[in-house]
Amino acid sequence: MMAGRPVEIAMDPASGLTAILNTRSVHLLDITSGAEVARVPTGATSYTGLAFRPANPKAEPGRMAPAREIWISETSRNGPDSLAIIPLQDRKPGEIRRIRLSGHVVPTGIAFSPDGASAWVAFSDRAAIALINADTGAIIRQISTGMVPYAVMVSAKHNRVYVSNRGGRKPRPEETKALSSRTEVVSDPVTGATTTGTLSVIDMTSYQEAQIDVGLAPAGLALSPDESTLAIANAHSDSVTFVDLQTLRTTEVKVPAWPEGSFGAEPSASAFSPDGKRLYVTCGGSNAVVALETDRGKWQVKGAIPVGWFPTAIAVDSAGSLRVVNVKGVGRTLGPEGAHNSRAHEGSIWKIPPPTDSTLRNGLREAKSANAPKFTPAEGVESLSRLGIRHVFLIIKENRTYDQVFGDMPKGNGDPKLVMYGREVTPNHHALAETFVLLDNFYTGGAISFDGHQWLMQGFVSDYVERAFAASPRGYAWNMADALTVSPQGFFWQDPSRPLDIRLYGPFSEPITWDPATKRAVDIDGSRLPAWSEYWKMYQERNWHGKLGHRSGVPALQKLINPDFPPSSMNIPDVLRAEIWLEELAGREKSGQMPNLLIFTMTSDHTMGTRPGFPTPRAMVADNDLALGRIVEGISKSRFWPHSLILVTEDDAQDGVDHVDGRRTIALAIGPHIRRGLLDSNHYNHSSLIRTIQDIHRIQPRVRYTATARAMNSVFTTRANREPFTAVEPRVSLTEMNPPARALSGRQLWAARQSMRLNPNNVDDFPAQIMNRILWGEAKGWGTPYPGERSLPKRHTP
């Protein structure tokens, strides 16, 4: 196991070292034993970019000399970027030095010329690859590639450099486009996903570049030992493209996803066996390595090996043994303090002996079984589509664990000592859980907002996202305003055979403002939004009309957006969002028209810590609670209630601790066909919630995660109870404000100063461990120790 999120691997047989690229470090392991030789701290690493620099072959004729350096791509959300260089002497790392890169180029893949004199480095945000003098660090030239270059491979035999371009070719003027960071890519007009993938082929003498079409989201490259074949793992096509390097002809081979016919194997890296007759492919979506073999020039699936959670990198040693890097390890969320938190990342490195044919056959059977689970029947309703539910309201909130809110409910599996926003702060959450169903075994799909919203919107998270947690260097696209994050299968409601009426209130949002001079909406940076107090005044005076709005970060979804609804910003109270919706509901009462699926985001329960100028954390959570209560009350007293279902959850649980698991969170199911007064401890998660909506509307699941998810049938009943809900006023004032910093001292002053670093429009760009301690101190008292092992009950296994 390895703390952090390891994403890449490189081997240097001459020195006997394996290097692992981790979140903010490089680990050096002994190739044979796997023992750690050294750990070198670095800056925030890119999502790929790790290579040993070869020694000059003339130095020791006739034998391979140990590598002289390790190069690492470093970047952060907004730069600066660099290449970190670790010198090696007798397997020991020396003092790190850096090549500082101009601008936010986002360096990714690295490869060296055979003599180590030159480095080729992909600049992801420049659609270019740089040729660098490895001794001086000078950039000799930059050569244009396709969009969002990723991995780099050098072939001395063919005198070429190969680059995988995740964003494909450059768009033509007439094509639909979407942004990935600051780069336009060709995108699908319905889903918003990228529609091309290419391989750049660069002659190392003339520097001429040509491109070959491959699958979607081409990622890792593998060169056969005889340099006759290049393999490209296509993460969004569930395939591998083989390129004959003599003719540049391609053959695409599908990599299976399970259950059969679904999408989501996510092959992202590969490595050839020493004889070149077998290719091992890491499949992050299947938690497996799939083996392909060639028979008379034709590649086909030979078998598989189950590995850890989301493998992203692989290497094969001279004996044929595998090393597999798993980003998430076994999913352990127990932090160093003893409490579970979703940001307690832990990956793993597996060593696997050379797989035999029998190993691959048995592994394939195990991988198929693990990826197509069979659930035992639960109580409730077997066929959800027969309940007559026509309108599903999905409300997505921010960042709370189960114990933080519901730990004080005796009938559930909670820890009262971890409650921070109990009944006094969240009376509507408690009343709804008591009136309908308390779900005490429900989990988020992701760890933070970056992946949490993506799980909820498409039941899928790309390998590109799973790798990028260290720095999110191409943008923190929680709203999926990056075409590379979008599944080629689209969003969970997109089924051509079942067109639904959809309305979106906040998901995918980017802020806009109204320009009275031009009478047009204008995109703005979130920092230009008015202060919280201004929006509170709008709420009190009910004069928000024409002053709020947002657009979709996914252009293909713009027609589904309510452009007058507030963007997802902490400056805007949730009760204002509720009032805007209730005003719309009144109009729908008169028309009798209500969409089939409505998705809302409400953000106040994230809080702004103790930042002056904002309400206290408990006031912001109370605001979120009251808004939820009012929305539910409005729907329950409307003409639509008999045919409605309201589902509520958090996008993640990162800003708190839980005694069961760091991803355990709040979920509510509300409606006439929901069983009342029930405790339901069935294991459910975000994918279960999505599958429930799909089953109600008879939408065919297309990605493997939702295809295998357990729908929440147990919470439903065929006997409808149409009794409405009445919202409860919290005892906490919504205008209880954080005091100014000048009035504070000690830990409270520290907390206020730390909270001032929070960006209201990008609140996750802040150390979670600091935010959690601020919220804990504010809720429990600044003298109360943060949860540790001795103060927590024995770990409960979900």
Side-chain angles (χ1 to χ4, degrees), residues 457-478:
M457 292 297 97
Q458 55 184 0
F460 170 87
V461 170
S462 173
D463 67 296
Y464 166 73
V465 174
E466 294 289 7
R467 284 174 168 271
F469 270 60
S472 308
R474 294 181 58 82
Y476 190 72
W478 69 268

Side-chain angles (χ1 to χ4, degrees), residues 386-454:
R386 296 182 180 180
L387 291 175
I389 297 172
R390 301 173 194 163
H391 318 294
V392 178
F393 303 82
L394 173 58
I395 299 174
I396 302 169
K397 307 183 319 89
E398 289 282 329
N399 297 31
R400 300 275 71 87
T401 70
Y402 177 94
D403 275 338
Q404 284 182 299
V405 178
F406 287 152
D408 59 352
M409 297 189 72
K411 69 178 179 181
N413 178 19
D415 183 352
K417 294 190 295 298
L418 299 180
V419 176
M420 294 167 61
Y421 308 113
R423 189 180 299 271
E424 182 181 62
V425 180
T426 55
N428 288 285
H429 283 74
H430 283 72
L432 289 165
E434 289 170 339
T435 301
F436 296 95
V437 55
L438 175 62
L439 293 156
D440 68 348
N441 201 21
F442 186 96
Y443 301 84
T444 65
I448 59 177
S449 295
F450 192 15
D451 60 341
H453 284 274
Q454 296 179 33

Side-chain angles (χ1 to χ4, degrees), residues 91-112:
R91 290 169 46 109
K92 295 180 181 179
E95 185 175 350
I96 199 166
R97 63 184 178 88
R98 286 178 170 84
I99 299 173
R100 306 290 179 180
L101 302 174
S102 176
H104 190 35
V105 299
V106 187
T108 51
I110 303 170
F112 288 95

Side-chain angles (χ1 to χ4, degrees), residues 267-283:
S268 65
S270 62
F272 282 94
S273 59
D275 62 5
K277 295 180 180 180
R278 184 179 287 174
L279 183 77
Y280 299 103
V281 185
T282 61
C283 296

Side-chain angles (χ1 to χ4, degrees), residues 18 35 48 73 89 126 232 237 325 387 452 463 485 502 513 534 542 587 628 639 661 674 737:
T18 299
T48 189
S73 290
Q89 184 67 41
R126 286 270 177 88
I232 304 112
S237 286
V325 175
L387 291 175
D463 67 296
T485 67
I502 313 293
T513 189
E534 291 297 313
R542 299 186 64 84
L628 173 64
R639 65 191 294 178
D661 187 88
I674 297 298
M737 305 299 289

Side-chain angles (χ1 to χ4, degrees), residues 547-744:
K547 299 179 181 179
L548 295 163
H550 74 278
R551 69 173 179 88
S552 174
V554 182
L557 302 182
Q558 182 60 39
K559 60 183 178 296
L560 306 181
I561 294 288
N562 178 342
D564 299 320
F565 198 76
S568 294
S569 169
M570 299 303 298
N571 290 34
I572 302 170
D574 280 340
V575 288
L576 176 54
R577 293 185 171 90
E579 288 304 310
I580 292 171
W581 157 246
L582 292 173
E583 186 175 74
E584 180 178 324
L585 177 60
R588 293 187 178 278
E589 276 282 343
K590 295 176 182 178
S591 70
Q593 301 298 311
M594 181 65 72
N596 304 115
L597 175 64
L598 305 90
I599 305 178
F600 301 80
T601 53
M602 300 202 307
T603 59
S604 289
D605 62 332
H606 186 294
T607 85
M608 285 296 291
T610 58
R611 177 171 171 153
F614 281 86
T616 63
R618 69 174 191 164
M620 296 193 80
V621 176
D623 164 40
N624 176 267
D625 175 80
L626 181 57
L628 173 64
R630 287 178 177 172
I631 289 174
V632 173
E633 177 179 355
I635 296 169
S636 73
K637 293 180 179 178
S638 76
R639 65 191 294 178
F640 307 105
W641 178 238
H643 304 290
S644 292
L645 169 67
I646 305 169
L647 297 171
V648 184
T649 191
E650 310 283 313
D651 72 314
D652 63 66
Q654 66 171 309
D655 286 336
V657 295
D658 189 272
H659 83 282
V660 173
D661 187 88
R663 295 180 179 89
R664 192 172 69 137
T665 193
I666 298 161
L668 296 168
I670 303 154
H673 284 284
I674 297 298
R675 299 167 70 186
R676 300 217 168 195
L678 174 71
L679 170 66
D680 190 328
S681 296
N682 282 292
H683 186 288
Y684 293 132
N685 57 25
H686 281 168
S687 297
S688 304
L689 186 148
I690 292 170
R691 179 60 187 268
T692 301
I693 298 173
Q694 291 181 323
D695 284 3
I696 287 169
H697 286 308
R698 290 183 292 161
I699 299 169
Q700 182 63 39
R702 296 181 302 281
V703 297
R704 62 159 307 277
Y705 304 102
T706 52
T708 59
R710 185 186 200 186
M712 299 165 64
N713 300 70
S714 61
V715 305
F716 291 90
T717 177
T718 57
R719 301 180 65 178
N721 182 338
R722 298 179 180 176
E723 182 180 347
F725 177 79
T726 299
V728 183
E729 292 289 327
R731 296 180 184 177
V732 176
S733 169
L734 305 192
T735 56
E736 179 184 83
M737 305 299 289
N738 288 320
R742 64 178 179 274
L744 303 173

